[in-house]
Amino acid sequence: MDLKLLGEVFVTLLVIMDPPGMVPIYLALTGTLSARERNRAGTQAVGLAFGVIVVFAVAGQTLLDYLHVDLPALQGAGGLLLILIALELLTGRSDDPNQQVTANIALVPLGTPLLAGPGAIVATMLFVQRSDGAADYFAVAVGIVAAMATVWLALRFSGGIVKVLRPSGIEVLTRIAGLLLAAIAVQLIADAVAAFVRQYTNGG
């Protein structure tokens, strides 16, 4: 197994998914939930992100080609989705913290597009394209699993922060997380627009 490739996959995905930066957003979205529901939401989010990344690693380019979708379009869609979530956090408009909401926030925006976003998807697809032989594919797979396990641990043990912040602190954190999400969303859309401009300029 190529340990250098494994390390590249692990570090690249970890930098893109940014567990320290994800924690405040995760806590803001799950702050009103019980510890058990919060942990379940984190596990579901990481599980979904892992599934999405694996699917795109195996058949991502084929799927995008079949749908006639370019990667910048996927990036722009992720940005628009995050803007909707950011507006909810900034305005304080949220649903009741019940089981359905737990599942919803675990899938969107935590699982995708925050964890399994365009950056992680593209990086994984590129690593797979670079791979040559079973050993390289195995190294990529282990790197993905290790990165997702690290993200899960970061989310799993972030619950103690909720006890320190208390409801008023969570309220402030929610506003800050909304601002961060809005910034991430705008950057995704800007990158998508820039990619489209480059694509059509070069094509022309």
Side-chain angles (χ1 to χ4, degrees), residues 33-75:
L33 302 178
S34 67
R36 184 176 178 182
E37 289 174 329
R38 187 184 311 115
N39 291 337
R40 187 171 62 213
T43 301
Q44 289 174 341
V46 172
L48 173 68
F50 177 74
V52 170
I53 287 175
V54 168
V55 167
F56 275 94
V58 174
Q61 196 58 56
T62 303
L63 181 62
L64 293 179
D65 289 343
Y66 176 76
L67 296 174
H68 303 292
V69 173
D70 292 327
L71 285 173
L74 193 66
Q75 206 166 4

Side-chain angles (χ1 to χ4, degrees), residues 26-37:
Y26 168 71
L27 292 178
L29 291 168
T30 61
T32 57
L33 302 178
S34 67
R36 184 176 178 182
E37 289 174 329

